[in-house]
Amino acid sequence: MFSTIYIEEEVLESERVRKLLDRFPQIPQVVCDRYGEVFNRKSQNFRLQKIAPALILAKKYGNKVLAAPSGYGYNDSKSYYFSHMLNCVYDCRYCFLQGMYSSANYVLFINYEDFEKAIVEKIEENNGGGVYYSGYDCDSLALEPVSNFCSHFLPVFRRYPNAELEIRTKSTQVRCLLDTEVVPNCVIAMSFTTSEAAVQWEHKVPSIGKRLEALHKLQLAGWKVAIRFEPLILGAEGLAPYEALFAQIFSKLDGDRLHSVSSGLFRMPVDFHKRIVKLYPDEELFARPTQTTDGMIALKSTEENTHLMAIEELLLNYISSEKYYRCA
Amino acid sequence: MKHPMPVNIVVAHALEAKALVKMLELERHHASTDFVEYSNSNKLRLLVSGIGKEAIAAGVTYLSEQQASDNGEIRAWLNIGIAGHRDASLGSAWLGNKITDHSSGTSAYPPQLIEGVEVGSVVTVDEPENSYPLNAAYEMEASAFYAEATKYSTAELVQVFKVISDNLENPVSEIDIRRVPGSIAAQSPQLLILIERMSAIAREYNSNQRLPGYFFEICSQIHLTVNQKLQLRRLCQRYKALGLEKELGRVAGRKASDARELIQQLTERIDRISEA
């Protein structure tokens, strides 16, 4: 599961770490001073580390709850994100994390109580409200059996019914949710691309069918679920893959009961893109022409808006426009 | 061993090299007056650096300079040598997953991509260690080797492998150095896994990064500024990624003698083909 487990000396004796290490006695354990000694060092290679990622158990210092980028969310409430983990168990070729870090190891910040305190402070600053995103720098559910993220953080949000938690994921690890009483202000947001894009670029990700099955179970159990069509990458096949994807999704899920549906085009900071191109000069996606606006790079398409509107038109056959938003 | 093995092995002592020369079917060559070197036709290199941090750093620098013209290809680097441990049995061995430099107190953590090889800590000391206070292999080169070799390769491809030659019951002062080749030879199953796997990763990396021959052809035919060279490099990568390497040749057939014109032609063509 992990090639090595690195542990910051400071957290070595914490109960959460001890329990976790006891589960993996066969994996080599290495003690370090700070996770920065192991993670994101120069001379490291994200692509190579994906061959056998390690787990790093660390304590997060500094800001734990940050303002979400503008246009990230689905309403006008103040939005924040928090990352109890850095990096993702999946290997999506379009993912910005490849350009953000030189290391593919997973950093799990185990001081959940400090995150909880920071979240509660932020909720109270916002009179009990605000939207809180988890899954910006990681997939929140994919490592759930190891992290027990849900069992710690769901009760926090249960106490603050006007604050909303969005768990962004591509994982089918929903047992923890199904075994828990529904938290009405928690949204499970699953990301999808077309099946062609998934096969080409989403390595190690559960199939669309399996993800839908997981969402279906959650919806039946009463959880709020949302769909995120990100990134939209238009190919030579035109709209047909999207027609097929929408038909597949909405034959399984009740569109009227979805919390929200969003779409977002492929884009990332220019510097991240440059680093990813160095890692994957052989990748077809990055060989396509690009355009840069305000430091963000996107695929160049003279008909981008026409295509996007056509996809939205297809989508709005299944859901009401009130549920839909474009992610900036 | 049919495939190329872009691996540099560096050892401190000739006796550490002895078993490897036989195991890897290496031949001595006389390129350097400062270091003893061995190699084979599969690109595997073995260098005997001399004992200590300074000597091994110089050995790594020397080898990297020798290989500087390899079209940007990277090589894996492996330091193999004997070490002491307080209670590990003689002849046991491991790959270093933490290398601590005793004099500076700093540690490095070689990323671990290779399964099937024992792992453990390594401490690099300036003088032979007799008491072995930590649960680690004590030796005299690893920290300098790792620091120097990661200047020339990616950290995932820089590893150290230590074979225990002394412990509290068998102190370093009583090592029978004639046993060193045998101890290293006994680790051949682990070493062969390690070398084969490191070279496979390096080969794959180099293959992914390989530039079409067209790039080198043009560089030899037309004067390009540094910036133009970078542009051409990226264009060649894009053509390759899109499966259009042959198109590059066709553009060359047009005999665009001016670099700016050539880059413009290549750009327009690939943008037209690949835009969604």
Side-chain angles (χ1 to χ4, degrees):
Chain A
M1 189 169 197
F2 313 113
S3 62
T4 305
I5 302 179
Y6 298 94
I7 314 112
E8 281 185 353
E9 192 155 16
E10 188 180 355
V11 301
L12 188 58
E13 297 307 325
S14 83
E15 193 187 339
R16 191 167 285 125
V17 167
R18 292 315 320 167
K19 277 187 184 166
L20 201 153
L21 294 179
D22 286 347
R23 286 188 54 199
F24 302 105
Q26 75 286 5
I27 299 177
Q29 299 173 3
V30 179
V31 177
C32 61
D33 286 338
R34 290 289 292 140
Y35 76 94
E37 290 179 312
V38 183
F39 182 77
N40 220 20
R41 306 288 293 180
K42 63 178 184 179
S43 297
Q44 292 187 339
N45 184 294
F46 189 101
R47 182 173 182 170
L48 291 182
Q49 290 198 3
K50 271 288 179 194
I51 295 171
L55 175 67
I56 304 169
L57 303 176
K59 180 174 178 178
K60 170 77 176 168
Y61 282 92
N63 284 345
K64 292 166 196 73
V65 181
L66 301 160
S70 63
Y72 190 72
Y74 50 80
N75 66 22
D76 295 333
S77 300
K78 278 207 164 181
S79 308
Y80 304 91
Y81 73 97
F82 62 98
S83 299
H84 70 293
M85 193 174 152
L86 307 179
N87 270 333
C88 178
V89 300
Y90 305 130
D91 189 15
C92 298
R93 196 55 61 242
Y94 50 70
C95 181
F96 71 96
L97 291 171
Q98 303 166 113
M100 192 160 164
Y101 303 124
S102 62
S103 171
N105 293 335
Y106 318 129
V107 181
L108 179 63
F109 295 115
I110 57 85
N111 50 326
Y112 290 178
E113 292 73 14
D114 294 335
F115 277 93
E116 178 184 337
K117 186 167 174 269
I119 290 167
V120 166
E121 278 172 11
K122 203 57 85 178
I123 290 174
E124 287 177 353
E125 253 177 49
N126 287 280
N127 302 315
V131 182
Y132 301 83
Y133 296 98
S134 173
Y136 188 71
D137 296 320
C138 66
D139 185 299
S140 295
L141 293 185
L143 217 59
E144 179 63 22
V146 173
S147 68
N148 291 316
F149 165 80
C150 285
S151 55
H152 188 93
F153 287 95
L154 288 180
V156 176
F157 282 88
R158 202 189 294 280
R159 297 203 307 269
Y160 294 93
N162 294 324
E164 196 153 24
L165 169 67
E166 177 176 312
I167 297 176
R168 184 73 67 93
T169 189
K170 286 195 185 95
S171 173
T172 55
Q173 301 269 10
V174 294
R175 176 55 45 202
C176 56
L177 297 166
L178 296 173
D179 288 346
T180 308
E181 189 188 338
V182 169
V183 180
N185 52 325
C186 173
V187 181
I188 313 304
M190 188 76 81
S191 303
F192 289 95
T193 59
T194 64
S195 62
E196 289 79 358
V199 166
Q200 193 171 353
W201 295 308
E202 294 179 351
H203 309 296
K204 304 180 190 172
V205 176
S207 69
I208 292 172
K210 284 184 177 161
R211 277 181 269 166
L212 278 176
E213 189 58 41
L215 276 190
H216 180 57
K217 283 180 189 166
L218 288 170
Q219 206 173 41
L220 286 180
W223 285 89
K224 280 183 186 160
V225 301
I227 304 287
R228 305 284 172 249
F229 293 111
E230 286 192 56
L232 296 178
I233 299 174
L234 300 162
E237 310 89 349
L239 295 176
Y242 286 96
E243 283 187 80
L245 177 66
F246 299 157
Q248 186 181 3
I249 288 175
F250 295 105
S251 66
K252 191 79 184 172
L253 301 179
D254 181 348
D256 293 334
R257 290 177 57 208
L258 284 176
H259 168 273
S260 58
V261 177
S262 69
S263 68
L265 292 162
F266 172 82
R267 75 279 187 220
M268 66 173 69
V270 173
D271 288 349
F272 290 8
H273 187 265
K274 274 186 191 164
R275 282 181 220 142
I276 296 175
V277 165
K278 278 186 186 165
L279 287 175
Y280 294 95
D282 51 340
E283 169 55 55
E284 181 270 332
L285 179 61
F286 306 125
R288 297 186 190 185
T290 54
Q291 58 196 15
T292 303
T293 314
D294 297 332
M296 297 293 279
I297 205 161
L299 296 177
K300 191 175 176 183
S301 170
T302 46
E303 293 182 58
E304 180 182 277
N305 211 38
T306 315
H307 284 145
L308 183 54
M309 283 169 68
I311 289 171
E312 288 173 337
E313 199 179 321
L314 286 174
L315 184 57
L316 293 174
N317 289 326
Y318 296 97
I319 55 157
S320 67
S321 58
E322 293 78 40
K323 287 187 187 292
Y324 174 74
Y325 71 96
R326 269 189 202 182
C327 198
Chain B
M1 295 180 185
K2 296 172 198 166
H3 305 293
M5 304 194 83
V7 181
N8 293 329
I9 300 172
V10 185
V11 300
H13 198 280
L15 282 168
E16 293 168 327
K18 195 172 176 183
L20 297 168
V21 169
K22 192 174 173 190
M23 184 193 309
L24 301 166
E25 298 173 2
L26 304 173
E27 286 183 10
R28 181 160 180 183
H29 62 90
H30 300 275
S32 163
T33 51
D34 296 329
F35 302 101
V36 176
E37 286 181 75
Y38 302 87
S39 62
N40 67 12
S41 55
N42 294 339
K43 291 189 171 181
L44 193 66
R45 298 282 291 269
L46 169 63
L47 180 134
V48 183
S49 67
I51 293 168
K53 293 194 285 190
E54 268 185 38
I56 203 157
V60 170
T61 305
Y62 165 79
L63 257 187
S64 70
E65 283 169 357
Q66 295 290 303
Q67 295 159 351
S69 62
D70 276 355
N71 292 335
E73 291 195 344
I74 61 163
R75 296 176 64 87
W77 291 79
L78 177 60
N79 167 226
I80 300 172
I82 57 170
H85 186 274
R86 61 187 175 209
D87 53 14
S89 54
L90 300 188
S92 57
W94 55 83
L95 196 62
N97 57 14
K98 176 176 184 176
I99 304 168
T100 302
D101 184 76
H102 183 259
S103 60
S104 68
T106 57
S107 295
Y109 302 83
Q112 302 291 300
L113 303 187
I114 297 164
E115 287 180 44
V117 181
E118 293 292 319
V119 291
S121 290
V122 174
V123 174
T124 302
V125 289
D126 295 334
E127 299 293 335
E129 174 63 49
N130 297 308
S131 56
Y132 323 105
L134 300 174
N135 177 18
Y138 282 80
E139 55 77 77
M140 298 177 70
E141 289 87 22
S143 65
F145 170 82
Y146 187 79
E148 193 65 19
T150 49
K151 291 178 187 168
Y152 310 110
S153 189
T154 181
E156 293 74 20
L157 291 174
V158 179
Q159 302 290 334
V160 303
F161 185 83
K162 297 294 159 182
V163 182
I164 301 304
S165 60
D166 50 279
N167 54 29
L168 285 173
E169 283 184 10
N170 304 276
V172 65
S173 56
E174 293 173 20
I175 289 181
D176 180 354
I177 58 169
R178 290 169 302 179
R179 288 186 175 178
V180 170
S183 299
I184 289 176
Q187 289 300 326
S188 59
Q190 289 212 90
L191 281 169
L192 290 173
I193 289 174
L194 186 55
I195 294 165
E196 179 53 53
R197 190 72 190 110
M198 286 177 83
S199 70
I201 295 169
R203 275 199 309 273
E204 193 183 335
Y205 177 96
N206 290 332
S207 167
N208 295 333
Q209 298 285 334
R210 181 188 61 80
L211 282 166
Y214 175 80
F215 172 78
F216 301 103
E217 243 173 71
I218 292 299
C219 286
S220 66
Q221 288 169 9
I222 304 177
H223 173 73
L224 296 135
T225 64
V226 173
N227 193 37
Q228 284 170 337
K229 217 175 225 186
L230 288 171
Q231 287 178 299
L232 180 64
R233 166 185 280 267
R234 183 62 197 132
L235 279 164
C236 288
Q237 288 172 334
R238 288 179 64 196
Y239 275 80
K240 182 186 164 198
L242 293 167
L244 297 169
E245 270 189 74
K246 284 180 186 165
E247 291 281 323
L248 283 165
R250 282 183 206 136
V251 178
R254 292 179 191 175
K255 294 191 177 175
S257 55
D258 176 70
R260 191 187 302 173
E261 187 194 338
L262 176 70
I263 287 167
Q264 192 183 336
Q265 281 177 10
L266 286 168
T267 307
E268 282 171 3
R269 182 148 181 77
I270 198 162
D271 283 359
R272 206 167 46 243
I273 293 169
S274 59
E275 190 175 326

